[in-house]
């Protein structure tokens, strides 16, 4: 074949349609640009390509892929967060949200939702929010150096104005640097962390203990009555996120789970 015939073949060969960047946008005029980004991410989640905890492409990567403005990508991600499909961690990135129901002990329970599901009133008293030096035991729990900065919060959870849980929490600033900047008046610390920090490991330990005098006073109970103490730790990609001790008056609260023989939670 001559050079002339090669040129003619190349000139007449049909080109493949381009489906990315600005070309993809012009091929779908009926769909808003931010909806294209949302649709792409949603499909990846629904078909199982991106599982819970999967890290999404960065905003810059999505801007380059779809040929749109950063504010367009930001709107798409913001709406996906509002729909509960993804979670965003400041300075870290966006991740596919955990879509499984939370179950006491086997998974992280949302005490506010549990109480409201019973038709009762829920209220949270925020008692402590501070940044402190990690004691040796807390440093070990969170894989920090003794004396290194750690966030500390204390909350009292109420059911029909009766205290049912005293939550004493420590959070790793390396993972959640903006933790204390949040408004916990509407979203308690536990719910905020579940929504915004993807976790891949949970450890639960339950002990029967007697409360200290201060704990008994906060829980409005005799110091001689027993409590159930749930100690929880979570990790994200092997890095400890939080350690929390949840103290419950045994006479007012039970801890338990229902699960199948294969070890998975039984839902419904």
């Amino acid at each position: 074949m001559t050079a002339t015939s090669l040129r003619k073949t190349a000139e007449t060969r049909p080109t493949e349609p381009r489906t990315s960047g600005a070309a993809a946008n012009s091929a779908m005029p009926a769909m808003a640009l931010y909806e294209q980004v949302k649709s792409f991410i949603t499909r990846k989640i629904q078909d199982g390509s991106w599982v819970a905890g999967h890290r999404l492409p960065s905003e810059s990567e999505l801007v380059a892929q779809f040929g749109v403005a950063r504010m367009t990508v930001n709107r798409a991600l913001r709406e996906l967060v509002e729909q509960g499909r993804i979670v965003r961690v400041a300075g870290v990135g966006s991740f596919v949200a955990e879509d499984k129901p939370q179950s006491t002990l086997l998974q992280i329970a949302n005490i506010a939702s549990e109480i409201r599901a019973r038709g009762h009133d829920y209220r949270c008293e925020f008692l402590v929010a501070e940044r402190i030096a990690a004691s040796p035991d807390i440093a070990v729990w969170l894989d920090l150096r003794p004396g290194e900065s750690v966030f500390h919060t204390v909350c009292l959870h109420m059911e029909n104005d009766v205290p049912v849980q005293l939550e004493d929490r420590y959070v790793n600033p390396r993972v959640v640097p903006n933790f204390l900047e949040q408004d916990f008046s509407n979203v308690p610390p536990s719910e905020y962390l579940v929504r915004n920090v993807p976790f891949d490991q949970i450890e639960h330990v339950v002990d029967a203990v007697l409360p200290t005098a201060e704990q008994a006073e906060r829980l409005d109970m005799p110091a001689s009555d027993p409590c159930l103490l749930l100690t929880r730790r979570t990790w994200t990609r092997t890095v400890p996120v939080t350690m929390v001790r949840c103290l419950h008056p045994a006479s007012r609260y039970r801890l338990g789970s229902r699960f199948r023989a294969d070890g998975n939670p039984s839902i419904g």
Side-chain angles (χ1 to χ4, degrees), residues 110 112-113 116 169 186-196:
N110 184 333
S113 297
R116 288 169 178 147
R169 179 181 301 277
N186 295 318
V187 180
S190 178
E191 187 174 346
Y192 169 79
L193 291 172
V194 169
R195 287 184 183 182
N196 294 280

Side-chain angles (χ1 to χ4, degrees), residues 133-149:
S135 62
D137 60 326
I138 298 301
V140 170
W141 281 96
L142 293 178
D143 196 19
L144 300 172
R145 297 185 303 274
E148 190 173 351
S149 180

Side-chain angles (χ1 to χ4, degrees), residues 19-122:
T19 58
S20 61
N25 296 335
S26 61
M28 302 176 65
M31 182 181 289
L33 298 181
Y34 78 93
E35 290 285 359
Q36 293 181 36
V37 181
K38 282 182 61 179
S39 177
F40 167 76
I41 295 173
T42 300
R43 285 198 307 271
K44 288 289 189 181
I45 296 173
Q46 290 178 338
D47 67 16
S49 299
W50 293 353
V51 298
H54 176 87
R55 185 171 183 170
L56 274 63
S58 67
E59 284 193 14
S60 298
E61 290 171 331
L62 291 171
V63 165
Q65 178 176 348
F66 288 90
V68 297
R70 182 175 291 272
M71 67 174 60
T72 300
V73 170
N74 190 272
R75 177 178 177 181
L77 297 177
R78 186 173 66 252
E79 292 196 3
L80 287 168
V81 169
E82 293 171 353
Q83 293 169 3
R85 290 191 177 275
I86 69 171
V87 294
R88 305 180 74 182
V89 182
V92 179
S94 300
F95 302 84
V96 177
E98 175 66 50
D99 61 358
K100 296 179 181 179
Q102 302 300 310
S103 176
T104 306
L105 291 185
L106 288 181
Q107 294 183 326
I108 297 177
N110 184 333
I111 188 170
S113 297
E114 288 183 345
I115 291 173
R116 288 169 178 147
R118 292 193 284 269
H120 295 172
D121 293 329
Y122 167 77

Side-chain angles (χ1 to χ4, degrees), residues 18 24 28 50 60 132 149 181 189 192 197 200 203 221 224:
R18 300 182 64 183
M28 302 176 65
W50 293 353
S60 298
I132 61 174
S149 180
E181 298 175 13
Y192 169 79
V197 183
D200 47 36
E203 177 187 81
M221 62 178 290
S224 57

